[in-house]
Amino acid sequence: MKKLYLLMLCIASIPAMAQTSALKSMISKKADSLQSQIVAWRRDFHEHPELGNHEFRTSAIIAKHLQSLGMEVKTGIATTGVVGILRGGKPGPVVALRADMDALPVTERTPVPFASKVKTMYKGQEVGVMHACGHDSHMAILMTVAEILSSMKSELHGTVKFIFQPAEEGVLPGEVGGAEEMVKQGVLENPKVDVIFGLHINSQTEVGKIKYRPGGTMAGVNDMQIIVKGRSSHGAYPWSSIDPIVVSAQIINNLQTIVSRNINITENPAVVTIGAINGGNRSNIIPEKVEMLGTLRAFTKEDEQTLITRVKQIATKTAEAENAVAEVTIPYSTHYPVTYNDPALTEKMVPTLQETAGAGNLVLSPPVTGAEDFSFFEEKVPGIFFFLGGMPKGGDPITAPAHHTPDFYIDESGFALGVKALCNLAVDYMNEKGK
């Protein structure tokens, strides 16, 4: 009887498998046919970049496109965020797909004809604005995913929620934004999201490849401020001072022992970096105080707390030993959790990514010490965040222009693979759960 039941179950599943296969074949053909449209959207966004919480033109274009597809569209979420809701023709789970929209205060130096010439004011200075991290690509890819899945909505088991997020790169002091604010405003509710998928183009991964990692994928980040207070004096009479510059130098050197002596780097990497130090204004004046700014990065909550505790101990005690005072603020303005790919979900969906990318093109990624506020979504629901190749074939990842730099460059021929990957993840998950 048990064998008969299993046989009947297998037979019943054949039509569903055939239907899924047909949908994925259609997805592949549509993605390839829409390549020129993906590129056109991407180049338009690239030529007209907008900083975080100011993506007004960008979000209007996205909202108009989603509305043209017949979706329920919500705008103005977390300032400029856009959400489109596509309800499939059959019952099933709710899958969220996310793209970020903001550009960076970087002056572009690439020779492409659609290079950004936009300038704006940022922190009181005129700066160039550039999509120097690939968010223009993410938007174009997800807009295409929305078009393809909308065309087959009657066959979808469940609902797809398209999340276009502002301010992934952070906001100015005093502002709120990004994924954290979208979560606070209920973007994962009504309808309640079951899982979320997202991708990031990578300029140092070859076109045609997808990289992924279960568990901790991108680092959790805290920025920090350390203010060292001493006593000012004439530079000719340093014995009259409590020199905060010397104390700061000692603190910086001592901080380097945290990763080498307090973190088990055979399990997870960690980073302690001082990125700015400001104090004094003349060669012959020892200043009263010095400000340092830095970043801490870790892949577990335990390591994160170790970094925070040790930075505070080392800074305050080193200063105390020199009769100075150190005030430590962590986080200072930014905290992102670890971008954590749910291991069970990742294991379930790896075959989809493997099938989509093709033999030899799905690569297990090492931990990435960069950070992503996609992590705020993954704190609430299981998710997968993966990397899409954007480096020309045969390129050298060491010399390829890095993200957040004026020469950042993406090979557009890899976009269709990103479209197929997001579509297939959604379809496979929905069809599996919606049976």
Side-chain angles (χ1 to χ4, degrees):
M1 181 63 72
K2 184 177 180 181
K3 290 182 179 178
L4 179 61
Y5 171 76
L6 291 174
L7 178 62
M8 291 174 64
L9 191 63
C10 289
I11 292 172
S13 69
I14 291 174
M17 292 171 62
Q19 181 191 48
T20 300
S21 179
L23 283 179
K24 290 163 80 170
S25 176
M26 191 183 307
I27 286 167
S28 182
K29 292 175 182 177
K30 284 179 176 288
D32 290 336
S33 70
L34 291 170
Q35 171 68 11
S36 61
Q37 179 63 73
I38 308 171
V39 169
W41 275 327
R42 183 262 169 156
R43 292 185 178 186
D44 179 68
F45 289 137
H46 192 90
E47 195 170 356
H48 302 93
E50 297 172 300
L51 295 179
N53 280 353
H54 294 270
E55 307 94 333
F56 301 111
R57 177 186 183 274
T58 302
S59 60
I61 291 171
I62 291 167
K64 183 178 180 180
H65 176 63
L66 298 182
Q67 288 163 352
S68 74
L69 299 174
M71 291 189 198
E72 175 187 341
V73 179
K74 300 177 182 179
T75 61
I77 303 172
T79 307
T80 54
V82 180
V83 173
I85 299 174
L86 175 64
R87 301 184 189 276
K90 302 173 184 179
V94 179
V95 175
L97 305 175
R98 174 269 205 168
D100 35 15
M101 304 191 298
D102 54 325
L104 287 156
V106 173
T107 300
E108 184 157 8
R109 203 161 51 203
T110 62
V112 297
F114 52 91
S116 168
K117 296 178 176 59
V118 174
K119 294 186 180 297
T120 192
M121 297 302 295
Y122 181 76
K123 294 185 176 180
Q125 295 184 329
E126 186 180 62
V127 296
V129 184
M130 177 187 177
H131 272 294
C133 199
H135 298 183
D136 50 350
S137 308
H138 305 165
M139 291 183 284
I141 287 170
L142 192 56
M143 289 170 72
T144 308
V145 171
E147 184 164 329
I148 292 173
L149 293 184
S150 293
S151 71
M152 53 183 65
K153 66 179 180 181
S154 62
E155 302 302 318
L156 297 181
H157 291 265
T159 298
V160 185
K161 185 176 282 192
F162 297 90
I163 300 174
F164 290 85
Q165 177 208 310
E168 186 279 326
E169 302 289 358
V171 296
L172 291 170
E175 294 184 7
V176 296
E180 183 177 22
E181 185 62 22
M182 292 196 95
V183 170
K184 287 179 180 178
Q185 293 188 19
V187 75
L188 298 178
E189 307 295 332
N190 302 316
K192 184 174 177 60
V193 170
D194 293 293
V195 294
I196 186 166
F197 301 121
L199 63 74
H200 204 300
I201 198 88
N202 187 263
S203 67
Q204 293 159 311
T205 297
E206 192 173 64
V207 159
K209 295 188 180 298
I210 289 175
K211 286 186 174 181
Y212 79 100
R213 183 177 184 81
T217 298
M218 299 185 74
V221 60
N222 285 279
D223 68 348
M224 62 179 171
Q225 180 197 57
I226 303 173
I227 294 178
V228 179
K229 295 181 178 179
R231 184 170 64 236
S232 179
S233 80
H234 194 296
Y237 313 110
W239 51 85
S240 298
S241 74
I242 298 175
D243 190 338
I245 291 179
V246 171
V247 174
S248 296
Q250 293 173 348
I251 290 173
I252 292 170
N253 284 333
N254 291 342
L255 291 179
Q256 304 314 303
T257 65
I258 297 175
V259 173
S260 66
R261 293 297 179 268
N262 301 129
I263 301 296
N264 184 347
I265 58 172
T266 65
E267 295 179 352
N268 288 300
V271 172
V272 177
T273 292
I274 297 296
I277 177 167
N278 299 291
N281 56 21
R282 278 181 63 96
S283 62
N284 62 349
I285 299 174
I286 293 174
E288 193 169 51
K289 69 176 182 179
V290 168
E291 179 195 50
M292 292 180 279
L293 299 175
T295 185
L296 307 177
R297 293 167 189 258
F299 286 85
T300 69
K301 290 183 178 180
E302 293 75 19
D303 284 352
E304 178 184 59
Q305 191 54 55
T306 296
L307 296 183
I308 293 171
T309 299
R310 291 296 289 138
V311 166
K312 289 181 177 179
Q313 288 174 336
I314 288 171
T316 57
K317 297 302 181 182
T318 301
E320 184 181 332
E322 300 296 333
N323 292 319
V325 173
E327 298 174 350
V328 182
T329 304
I330 306 174
Y332 176 51
S333 64
T334 300
H335 170 252
Y336 289 178
V338 175
T339 303
Y340 186 84
N341 287 343
D342 182 86
L345 178 64
T346 304
E347 183 179 7
K348 182 187 294 289
M349 304 313 299
V350 158
T352 298
L353 292 175
Q354 181 67 74
E355 179 189 6
T356 305
N361 290 322
L362 183 64
V363 181
L364 184 64
S365 172
V368 176
T369 50
E372 241 289 345
D373 75 349
F374 188 82
S375 54
F376 286 105
F377 299 124
E378 289 188 316
E379 274 196 322
K380 302 298 183 182
V381 298
I384 298 175
F385 191 73
F386 62 94
F387 301 95
L388 177 69
M391 181 181 70
K393 285 188 178 295
D396 182 353
I398 295 176
T399 59
H403 293 241
H404 290 218
T405 67
D407 300 306
F408 174 77
Y409 176 81
I410 288 297
D411 185 329
E412 297 168 331
S413 66
F415 293 171
L417 176 58
V419 172
K420 295 172 189 178
L422 287 178
C423 284
N424 289 345
L425 285 169
V427 166
D428 277 357
Y429 184 86
M430 294 166 76
N431 284 352
E432 171 65 26
K433 292 294 182 180
K435 288 178 182 177

mmCIF file of all heavy atoms in Angstrom, residues 202-209 361 389-401 409 411 413:
data_model
loop_
_atom_site.group_PDB
_atom_site.id
_atom_site.type_symbol
_atom_site.label_atom_id
_atom_site.label_comp_id
_atom_site.label_asym_id
_atom_site.label_seq_id
_atom_site.Cartn_x
_atom_site.Cartn_y
_atom_site.Cartn_z
ATOM 1 N N ASN A 202 28.585 42.220 -9.019
ATOM 2 C CA ASN A 202 29.946 42.327 -8.492
ATOM 3 C C ASN A 202 30.929 42.536 -9.626
ATOM 4 O O ASN A 202 31.009 41.720 -10.551
ATOM 5 C CB ASN A 202 30.308 41.070 -7.697
ATOM 6 C CG ASN A 202 31.650 41.209 -7.003
ATOM 7 O OD1 ASN A 202 32.664 40.762 -7.513
ATOM 8 N ND2 ASN A 202 31.655 41.830 -5.843
ATOM 9 N N SER A 203 31.669 43.622 -9.541
ATOM 10 C CA SER A 203 32.577 44.010 -10.619
ATOM 11 C C SER A 203 33.849 43.182 -10.653
ATOM 12 O O SER A 203 34.655 43.317 -11.572
ATOM 13 C CB SER A 203 32.959 45.494 -10.470
ATOM 14 O OG SER A 203 33.750 45.691 -9.307
ATOM 15 N N GLN A 204 34.040 42.323 -9.647
ATOM 16 C CA GLN A 204 35.249 41.496 -9.594
ATOM 17 C C GLN A 204 34.930 40.000 -9.667
ATOM 18 O O GLN A 204 35.749 39.167 -9.331
ATOM 19 C CB GLN A 204 36.035 41.848 -8.315
ATOM 20 C CG GLN A 204 36.577 43.285 -8.389
ATOM 21 C CD GLN A 204 36.911 43.863 -7.030
ATOM 22 O OE1 GLN A 204 36.116 43.803 -6.106
ATOM 23 N NE2 GLN A 204 38.094 44.439 -6.921
ATOM 24 N N THR A 205 33.690 39.705 -10.113
ATOM 25 C CA THR A 205 33.277 38.330 -10.394
ATOM 26 C C THR A 205 32.903 38.242 -11.867
ATOM 27 O O THR A 205 32.162 39.083 -12.373
ATOM 28 C CB THR A 205 32.073 37.918 -9.525
ATOM 29 O OG1 THR A 205 32.451 37.954 -8.147
ATOM 30 C CG2 THR A 205 31.588 36.532 -9.880
ATOM 31 N N GLU A 206 33.419 37.236 -12.552
ATOM 32 C CA GLU A 206 33.255 37.137 -14.002
ATOM 33 C C GLU A 206 31.785 36.979 -14.407
ATOM 34 O O GLU A 206 31.014 36.291 -13.739
ATOM 35 C CB GLU A 206 34.060 35.950 -14.518
ATOM 36 C CG GLU A 206 34.205 35.899 -16.028
ATOM 37 C CD GLU A 206 35.147 34.793 -16.475
ATOM 38 O OE1 GLU A 206 34.816 33.608 -16.238
ATOM 39 O OE2 GLU A 206 36.208 35.106 -17.046
ATOM 40 N N VAL A 207 31.422 37.657 -15.476
ATOM 41 C CA VAL A 207 30.088 37.523 -16.060
ATOM 42 C C VAL A 207 29.755 36.045 -16.284
ATOM 43 O O VAL A 207 30.608 35.257 -16.707
ATOM 44 C CB VAL A 207 30.027 38.286 -17.405
ATOM 45 C CG1 VAL A 207 28.888 37.784 -18.272
ATOM 46 C CG2 VAL A 207 29.854 39.773 -17.163
ATOM 47 N N GLY A 208 28.496 35.687 -15.963
ATOM 48 C CA GLY A 208 28.056 34.314 -16.140
ATOM 49 C C GLY A 208 28.135 33.483 -14.886
ATOM 50 O O GLY A 208 27.634 32.350 -14.846
ATOM 51 N N LYS A 209 28.747 34.036 -13.834
ATOM 52 C CA LYS A 209 28.890 33.295 -12.586
ATOM 53 C C LYS A 209 28.005 33.890 -11.491
ATOM 54 O O LYS A 209 27.732 35.096 -11.479
ATOM 55 C CB LYS A 209 30.347 33.282 -12.126
ATOM 56 C CG LYS A 209 31.279 32.523 -13.071
ATOM 57 C CD LYS A 209 32.655 32.352 -12.509
ATOM 58 C CE LYS A 209 33.564 31.598 -13.488
ATOM 59 N NZ LYS A 209 33.083 30.234 -13.774
ATOM 60 N N ASN A 361 29.343 27.281 -12.916
ATOM 61 C CA ASN A 361 29.155 28.735 -12.778
ATOM 62 C C ASN A 361 28.544 29.162 -11.449
ATOM 63 O O ASN A 361 28.344 30.354 -11.230
ATOM 64 C CB ASN A 361 28.280 29.248 -13.918
ATOM 65 C CG ASN A 361 28.998 29.209 -15.252
ATOM 66 O OD1 ASN A 361 30.193 29.486 -15.327
ATOM 67 N ND2 ASN A 361 28.287 28.835 -16.299
ATOM 68 N N GLY A 389 27.870 37.975 -11.327
ATOM 69 C CA GLY A 389 29.084 38.415 -12.002
ATOM 70 C C GLY A 389 28.861 39.596 -12.933
ATOM 71 O O GLY A 389 27.912 39.611 -13.714
ATOM 72 N N GLY A 390 29.770 40.577 -12.842
ATOM 73 C CA GLY A 390 29.689 41.754 -13.696
ATOM 74 C C GLY A 390 31.025 42.139 -14.307
ATOM 75 O O GLY A 390 31.147 43.183 -14.953
ATOM 76 N N MET A 391 32.052 41.319 -14.101
ATOM 77 C CA MET A 391 33.374 41.586 -14.676
ATOM 78 C C MET A 391 33.476 40.941 -16.057
ATOM 79 O O MET A 391 33.052 39.791 -16.239
ATOM 80 C CB MET A 391 34.464 41.007 -13.757
ATOM 81 C CG MET A 391 35.886 41.239 -14.242
ATOM 82 S SD MET A 391 37.119 40.504 -13.105
ATOM 83 C CE MET A 391 36.843 38.744 -13.405
ATOM 84 N N PRO A 392 34.014 41.658 -17.044
ATOM 85 C CA PRO A 392 34.165 41.058 -18.374
ATOM 86 C C PRO A 392 34.916 39.736 -18.311
ATOM 87 O O PRO A 392 35.828 39.562 -17.497
ATOM 88 C CB PRO A 392 34.955 42.115 -19.153
ATOM 89 C CG PRO A 392 34.649 43.407 -18.453
ATOM 90 C CD PRO A 392 34.488 43.058 -17.009
ATOM 91 N N LYS A 393 34.535 38.794 -19.170
ATOM 92 C CA LYS A 393 35.181 37.488 -19.192
ATOM 93 C C LYS A 393 36.684 37.636 -19.433
ATOM 94 O O LYS A 393 37.117 38.432 -20.271
ATOM 95 C CB LYS A 393 34.560 36.603 -20.271
ATOM 96 C CG LYS A 393 33.186 36.061 -19.894
ATOM 97 C CD LYS A 393 32.705 35.035 -20.894
ATOM 98 C CE LYS A 393 31.346 34.455 -20.492
ATOM 99 N NZ LYS A 393 31.425 33.683 -19.249
ATOM 100 N N GLY A 394 37.454 36.896 -18.670
ATOM 101 C CA GLY A 394 38.902 36.967 -18.791
ATOM 102 C C GLY A 394 39.531 38.081 -17.984
ATOM 103 O O GLY A 394 40.759 38.235 -17.982
ATOM 104 N N GLY A 395 38.709 38.877 -17.276
ATOM 105 C CA GLY A 395 39.242 39.972 -16.474
ATOM 106 C C GLY A 395 39.964 39.477 -15.238
ATOM 107 O O GLY A 395 39.816 38.329 -14.814
ATOM 108 N N ASP A 396 40.748 40.370 -14.659
ATOM 109 C CA ASP A 396 41.502 40.059 -13.442
ATOM 110 C C ASP A 396 40.798 40.706 -12.259
ATOM 111 O O ASP A 396 40.709 41.935 -12.183
ATOM 112 C CB ASP A 396 42.925 40.600 -13.561
ATOM 113 C CG ASP A 396 43.785 40.269 -12.350
ATOM 114 O OD1 ASP A 396 43.254 39.739 -11.357
ATOM 115 O OD2 ASP A 396 45.002 40.560 -12.397
ATOM 116 N N PRO A 397 40.270 39.904 -11.326
ATOM 117 C CA PRO A 397 39.549 40.496 -10.192
ATOM 118 C C PRO A 397 40.414 41.408 -9.330
ATOM 119 O O PRO A 397 39.887 42.279 -8.636
ATOM 120 C CB PRO A 397 39.064 39.276 -9.400
ATOM 121 C CG PRO A 397 39.805 38.102 -9.923
ATOM 122 C CD PRO A 397 40.252 38.442 -11.301
ATOM 123 N N ILE A 398 41.718 41.229 -9.379
ATOM 124 C CA ILE A 398 42.609 42.081 -8.575
ATOM 125 C C ILE A 398 42.686 43.490 -9.152
ATOM 126 O O ILE A 398 42.719 44.491 -8.429
ATOM 127 C CB ILE A 398 44.014 41.453 -8.475
ATOM 128 C CG1 ILE A 398 43.929 40.134 -7.705
ATOM 129 C CG2 ILE A 398 44.992 42.409 -7.798
ATOM 130 C CD1 ILE A 398 45.250 39.371 -7.637
ATOM 131 N N THR A 399 42.696 43.584 -10.483
ATOM 132 C CA THR A 399 42.837 44.900 -11.117
ATOM 133 C C THR A 399 41.507 45.484 -11.588
ATOM 134 O O THR A 399 41.463 46.659 -11.971
ATOM 135 C CB THR A 399 43.799 44.807 -12.319
ATOM 136 O OG1 THR A 399 43.277 43.850 -13.268
ATOM 137 C CG2 THR A 399 45.185 44.360 -11.879
ATOM 138 N N ALA A 400 40.439 44.698 -11.576
ATOM 139 C CA ALA A 400 39.139 45.222 -11.993
ATOM 140 C C ALA A 400 38.719 46.352 -11.062
ATOM 141 O O ALA A 400 38.867 46.237 -9.839
ATOM 142 C CB ALA A 400 38.093 44.111 -11.976
ATOM 143 N N PRO A 401 38.202 47.470 -11.597
ATOM 144 C CA PRO A 401 37.805 48.595 -10.737
ATOM 145 C C PRO A 401 36.805 48.173 -9.668
ATOM 146 O O PRO A 401 35.807 47.514 -9.965
ATOM 147 C CB PRO A 401 37.186 49.584 -11.728
ATOM 148 C CG PRO A 401 37.824 49.258 -13.045
ATOM 149 C CD PRO A 401 38.005 47.774 -13.024
ATOM 150 N N TYR A 409 33.061 49.687 -13.081
ATOM 151 C CA TYR A 409 32.549 49.323 -14.411
ATOM 152 C C TYR A 409 31.857 47.966 -14.339
ATOM 153 O O TYR A 409 32.333 47.038 -13.673
ATOM 154 C CB TYR A 409 33.697 49.256 -15.421
ATOM 155 C CG TYR A 409 33.260 48.788 -16.795
ATOM 156 C CD1 TYR A 409 32.662 49.670 -17.691
ATOM 157 C CD2 TYR A 409 33.429 47.455 -17.180
ATOM 158 C CE1 TYR A 409 32.242 49.243 -18.943
ATOM 159 C CE2 TYR A 409 33.020 47.017 -18.435
ATOM 160 C CZ TYR A 409 32.425 47.917 -19.308
ATOM 161 O OH TYR A 409 32.000 47.496 -20.543
ATOM 162 N N ASP A 411 30.005 44.892 -16.834
ATOM 163 C CA ASP A 411 29.689 44.302 -18.137
ATOM 164 C C ASP A 411 28.199 43.961 -18.145
ATOM 165 O O ASP A 411 27.734 43.121 -17.361
ATOM 166 C CB ASP A 411 30.536 43.042 -18.337
ATOM 167 C CG ASP A 411 30.367 42.425 -19.720
ATOM 168 O OD1 ASP A 411 29.269 42.545 -20.300
ATOM 169 O OD2 ASP A 411 31.322 41.800 -20.211
ATOM 170 N N SER A 413 26.381 42.330 -20.139
ATOM 171 C CA SER A 413 25.934 41.066 -20.723
ATOM 172 C C SER A 413 25.483 40.051 -19.670
ATOM 173 O O SER A 413 24.855 39.046 -20.007
ATOM 174 C CB SER A 413 27.053 40.443 -21.575
ATOM 175 O OG SER A 413 28.157 40.064 -20.758
#
